[in-house]
Amino acid sequence: MTDDSPAPDDGLRPDGGAGTDTEADAEGADEVALDPWGSSSVDDYRKLFEEFGIEEFDEILEGVPTPHYLMRRGVIFGHRDYRPVAEAMRDGEPFAALSGFMPTGDPHIGHKLVFDEIIWHQQQGGDAYALIADLEAHSARGLTWDEIDEHSRNYLLSLLALGFDPEEGELYRQSDNREVQDLAFELGADANFSELQAIYGFDGETDVSHMQSVVTQMADILYPQLEEPKPTVIPVGPDQDPHVRLARDLAERMRFFGVTTAYASFEVTDEELPHLEAAYDARAEYAEDPELPRCVEAAEWLSANRTAGGAVESAVSKLENAGMEPLRPRTRFLDRRATEAAFEGLIEAIDGEKRVFEGHVDAFDLEREAAETLAREVELEYDGYGFLPPSSIYHRFMTGLTGGKMSSSIPASHISLLDDPEDGYDKVKSATTGGRETAEKQRELGGRADECPVYELYAYLLAGDDDEFAKEVYDECVGGERLCGDCKEQAAELMREFLADHQEKREEVEALLEDAEIELESPRQG
Ligand code: TRP
Ligand code: SF4
């Protein structure tokens, strides 16, 4: 997460209802940059879907058993591959949630979103992990170890105060987790400089420790799966998406076997697959011996019966090349990086008819899903990791209280969890709003809750789990019944209360932190 958080482009929902569109929705000409160490700007969240392939959270909301209010209100707006996590949650299967914090300053209300997300997953039965990214803070931000220790303590106290259970979950710091470092080393063997250059813009001046902090984060992300593979969600801001994508890639690269579907000796792309399927299903129409359709026969049928297109054409030419080879569906295991013993073990483990080739095995009596499971089982048996690609969820950045970005260099723009409750009160009182110039206009036109940092405070934090309250604020605002003065007074009082309560809880969890298995003082120098 970066502190420089831009304004969201469209409205937050006060409740589980439909999204509230605003004029800002129509703009959308702005830049989207996802830079984990820069100031990430997301002026148009839709671009994250279109350009980066992040999926809309709303589409899977129904599949989440008892969604968190941040999910219900659209604060968590996007995800990658969250379905397996939601499924595991529903079925009572193992799953995990992990996120990391760079201890660069005080924890603020933006970090609270992530703390809450981890805690919620823990309460839903997941294995929860929170880590202190001290290596990253030292290498990418140049913090000293003393500074890091002080900030880390503050992050951890807030996390515990908000409800993280350190006995059920795990807390660690990157520098002190040997398993993470070992895994980072292994993963680093599969990533090279050109790749980091392309993803992060690293160049000849980038120091080696910074690169090491990247593979460390990759290891963090996969760490919950070291004992056994399980769906794992990484709750973060969208600026961390490049890391998530690389981690998903590396997880896949570490796998011993690839599983694909094929119809003959040649490899098939996902686009070609449906055409081959259709040709196989229609075999009775064209094959001289329907028990044994030939590839050439299928090629002929395909070019006569399917609208031409890239995938059809390439499928046809592959079929033609295969000539008299029989066309027959099979599940294929590709040997990617298995040891000889593991490959032999796989062959042994396949039931039913199979054919062994150089570098792959075809199984004729095995469904794709069963094949995936088998491949993972064999991999684990032969000391592989068997990683599932990690999932992620993304939350919106909060708007600064002074309008524009929330920035740690402008104290009035953000609220630290350590702010004196009176200061918190004052900051809210002097916040920018989405109100009109005069009370009369506000009564007539209604306020612009969708563009109001104060409304955001209600939706992200102050209304808590109470959807009705959030909706009431929203409706009253846009309906012109609510005026900014009173609205801010109410928000400011709630903020004061929240901070006082949170800080009291921080004191109460001091002992819990002392007992937790995390190194609070680094022995490092510099
Ligand atoms: N890079 C993250 C940040 O800047 C911190 C981090 C380190 C992290 N390891 C992680 C986040 C693993 C999520 C998962 O804040
Ligand atoms: Fe924002 Fe409240 Fe004013 Fe509406 S009434 S614009 S929510 S401060």
Side-chain angles (χ1 to χ4, degrees):
M1 285 212 348
T2 51
D3 294 330
D4 301 86
S5 312
D9 64 317
D10 57 38
L12 287 169
R13 289 193 307 276
D15 59 7
T20 39
D21 293 335
T22 68
E23 319 86 273
D25 243 1
E27 287 167 17
D30 315 53
E31 278 286 294
V32 184
L34 293 180
D35 176 355
W37 300 285
S39 75
S40 279
S41 57
V42 181
D43 295 318
D44 183 348
Y45 282 83
R46 281 171 314 170
K47 289 222 169 145
L48 296 179
F49 305 131
E50 287 157 20
E51 282 177 31
F52 294 89
I54 290 173
E55 295 177 77
E56 287 188 53
F57 196 85
D58 269 2
E59 286 170 11
I60 55 159
L61 186 60
E62 250 177 59
V64 183
T66 44
H68 191 271
Y69 69 83
L70 293 173
M71 296 172 171
R72 302 197 300 264
R73 289 183 204 148
V75 177
I76 293 171
F77 70 94
H79 74 105
R80 275 189 198 276
D81 204 15
Y82 190 69
R83 283 184 190 86
V85 178
E87 229 165 79
M89 212 179 283
R90 275 202 313 266
D91 301 346
E93 301 280 341
F95 67 96
L98 170 142
S99 197
F101 305 91
M102 240 207 292
T104 51
D106 286 349
H108 55 62
I109 53 177
H111 297 112
K112 178 181 180 289
L113 300 179
V114 183
F115 294 154
D116 285 344
E117 291 174 69
I118 299 175
I119 293 162
W120 181 80
H121 282 92
Q122 181 173 46
Q123 290 164 349
Q124 303 306 305
D127 295 338
Y129 298 78
L131 65 102
I132 296 294
D134 57 353
L135 294 181
E136 186 181 358
H138 189 65
S139 64
R141 292 281 168 83
L143 270 82
T144 68
W145 292 101
D146 279 346
E147 289 169 324
I148 287 172
D149 287 350
E150 186 196 327
H151 298 147
S152 299
R153 189 181 178 83
N154 280 328
Y155 280 75
L156 293 166
L157 283 175
S158 279
L159 177 66
L160 297 187
L162 289 166
F164 183 90
D165 177 351
E167 276 163 25
E168 286 297 317
E170 182 173 342
L171 303 172
Y172 71 86
R173 42 200 295 168
Q174 288 178 325
S175 63
D176 196 36
N177 188 328
R178 179 68 212 215
E179 283 176 293
V180 163
Q181 289 310 313
D182 288 349
L183 179 56
F185 185 83
E186 296 299 329
L187 296 168
D190 275 287
N192 63 31
F193 177 67
S194 310
E195 193 173 15
L196 300 192
Q197 192 175 27
I199 300 173
Y200 302 111
F202 286 177
D203 60 25
E205 301 299 308
T206 307
D207 66 77
V208 176
S209 296
H210 191 176
M211 292 189 230
Q212 197 185 333
S213 81
V214 170
V215 286
T216 301
Q217 179 158 354
M218 298 303 106
D220 289 332
I221 291 174
L222 295 170
Y223 177 64
Q225 299 195 61
L226 267 187
E227 223 158 86
E228 71 172 319
K230 59 172 88 67
T232 301
V233 61
I234 313 297
V236 276
D239 59 305
Q240 297 292 305
D241 186 55
H243 289 309
V244 171
R245 271 181 287 162
L246 179 57
R248 288 174 60 80
D249 230 24
L250 287 170
E252 177 67 20
R253 261 179 244 170
M254 301 303 279
R255 298 300 310 280
F256 282 12
F257 309 107
V259 178
T260 63
T261 302
Y263 278 83
S265 59
F266 55 83
E267 295 300 325
V268 181
T269 67
D270 286 347
E271 292 73 36
E272 293 161 357
L273 203 56
H275 303 299
L276 289 160
E277 212 171 271
Y280 183 74
D281 290 344
R283 63 194 179 279
E285 288 177 35
Y286 59 78
E288 209 177 293
D289 176 1
E291 298 284 299
L292 202 67
R294 306 287 180 172
C295 285
V296 270
E297 295 174 317
E300 223 169 278
W301 179 87
L302 207 52
S303 39
N305 289 280
R306 305 286 274 199
T307 339
V312 174
E313 276 159 34
S314 61
V316 167
S317 92
K318 283 180 182 177
L319 286 165
E320 280 169 352
N321 286 336
M324 289 299 281
E325 228 192 280
L327 183 77
R328 196 176 160 204
R330 64 201 72 189
T331 303
R332 176 164 296 165
F333 296 87
L334 300 157
D335 178 0
R336 289 236 205 86
R337 57 188 298 154
T339 54
E340 218 168 291
F343 191 51
E344 290 301 321
L346 174 73
I347 295 166
E348 192 72 11
I350 295 171
D351 280 334
E353 192 184 340
K354 56 192 152 191
R355 278 210 206 158
V356 181
F357 301 85
E358 180 73 35
H360 74 262
V361 199
D362 283 356
F364 293 89
D365 304 317
L366 203 54
E367 296 295 328
R368 179 80 175 253
E369 211 168 300
E372 307 262 6
T373 306
L374 184 68
R376 181 167 278 110
E377 279 169 7
V378 172
E379 180 175 338
L380 291 169
E381 202 176 312
Y382 288 87
D383 285 338
Y385 298 108
F387 291 133
L388 292 164
S391 314
S392 55
I393 49 177
Y394 301 112
H395 60 78
R396 286 165 186 273
F397 293 125
M398 287 179 97
T399 312
L401 294 176
T402 43
K405 294 180 180 185
M406 215 178 238
S407 164
S408 44
S409 53
I410 312 170
S413 76
H414 76 283
I415 290 173
S416 154
L417 296 174
L418 312 183
D419 273 348
D420 185 285
E422 289 309 323
D423 289 346
Y425 174 93
D426 290 341
K427 284 183 187 179
V428 177
K429 282 289 269 196
S430 32
T432 322
T433 72
R436 309 282 171 181
E437 302 81 69
T438 64
E440 290 76 62
K441 271 203 170 165
Q442 179 114 341
R443 286 205 186 85
E444 192 187 315
L445 302 168
R448 286 161 294 203
D450 291 313
E451 293 161 46
C452 178
V454 178
Y455 177 67
E456 258 180 52
L457 290 179
Y458 281 104
Y460 285 65
L461 190 153
L462 300 174
D465 209 36
D466 190 347
D467 285 346
E468 254 169 61
F469 177 42
K471 186 167 162 39
E472 186 183 295
V473 172
Y474 186 89
D475 290 346
E476 288 178 2
C477 169
V478 299
E481 298 150 53
R482 188 173 262 265
L483 298 183
C484 296
D486 290 347
C487 184
K488 285 209 278 189
E489 176 62 30
Q490 188 180 17
E493 281 170 19
L494 287 169
M495 184 61 80
R496 180 167 58 197
E497 218 174 287
F498 163 74
L499 288 172
D501 176 62
H502 179 66
Q503 287 162 20
E504 201 181 300
K505 288 201 183 113
R506 281 173 53 98
E507 281 177 27
E508 287 165 18
V509 297
E510 288 264 1
L512 205 56
L513 181 60
E514 296 306 324
D515 289 346
E517 276 180 51
I518 181 168
E519 196 60 63
L520 295 173
E521 264 151 51
S522 174
R524 297 188 180 215
Q525 298 179 314

